[in-house]
Amino acid sequence: MRAPIGDFDDALPAPDCLGLLTPPVAAAVRAWSGPVPAEQVLYVDTDPAIADTAVFVEHYGRDLLDQSANCVVVAGKRGETTTLAACVVKSATRVDVNGVARKHLGVRKASFAAMDTATGVSGMEYGGITPIGLPADWSLLVDAAVVDTPWVLIGSGRRRGKIIVPGKAIAQLPNAVVLEDLGRPTA
């Protein structure tokens, strides 16, 4: 099938290619429920050597810059307690870690989680972390602009491959909270 966005050779329903996903992402797709059917969660094969946003959009379509989102892991601290959360924002923006994210998490200090922590706890690869299949105890903070996007390109849990999903589907994921202005302009 043709992907609804981007210049990809083929798009497959994610339930039909669970073996290409990391175990937590495959489990989440297998258990998918809600108003957006699992068949609308699409997998596209991509070259892991060009997974970073700028190079990726040059190869797979410039329009993807406005139709893709990044999922980053944030660590918030209050006293001796550390809270991990995932933040999903449009790729052309950056997460407002010390404003919107910190306040919503109710922590004194927030920063990007260390790579080893983000990958080790999520079970996903660096550069491929996705909001689908996150640990059950994490908050999922989603910028409203992502939810308002008809189709969004997100990570697949690996650097190879991406997932395309209706933006509104991200709001239906476990522990999702939609926030205004979580994503800030980069310049």
Side-chain angles (χ1 to χ4, degrees):
M1 113 180 32
R2 180 91 181 121
I5 58 174
D7 299 324
F8 301 100
D9 293 332
D10 200 16
L12 303 169
D16 294 347
C17 51
L18 297 174
L20 300 174
L21 306 172
T22 59
V25 177
V29 169
R30 199 176 294 111
W32 190 271
S33 65
V36 174
E39 292 71 30
Q40 287 188 16
V41 179
L42 305 174
Y43 176 84
V44 292
D45 189 40
T46 60
D47 182 348
I50 58 171
D52 294 320
T53 303
V55 179
F56 186 88
V57 299
E58 282 297 319
H59 186 79
Y60 292 107
R62 289 180 170 265
D63 60 322
L64 289 174
L65 187 58
D66 195 46
Q67 298 171 321
S68 59
N70 291 328
C71 182
V72 297
V73 181
V74 172
K77 287 194 88 164
R78 178 176 279 289
E80 298 301 314
T81 304
T82 299
T83 301
L84 295 176
C87 298
V88 182
V89 299
K90 299 281 286 265
S91 294
T93 66
R94 61 178 171 73
V95 176
D96 184 4
V97 175
N98 285 303
V100 176
R102 181 185 61 77
K103 288 175 187 168
H104 182 80
L105 294 172
V107 295
R108 288 193 64 231
K109 182 180 176 185
S111 60
F112 294 108
M115 181 175 55
D116 291 350
T117 299
T119 57
V121 179
S122 71
M124 300 180 202
E125 294 177 5
Y126 181 75
I129 294 176
T130 183
I132 299 172
L134 293 170
D137 61 340
W138 286 17
S139 292
L140 172 59
L141 310 182
V142 184
D143 188 89
V146 173
V147 177
D148 292 340
T149 303
W151 289 96
V152 180
L153 181 87
I154 57 176
S156 68
R158 301 173 53 214
R159 281 187 70 81
R160 170 168 222 116
K162 298 287 184 187
I163 290 175
I164 299 173
V165 65
K168 64 185 178 183
I170 296 173
Q172 81 181 37
L173 293 171
N175 304 325
V177 177
V178 179
L179 300 170
E180 295 290 333
D181 301 320
L182 178 63
R184 297 289 195 179
T186 57

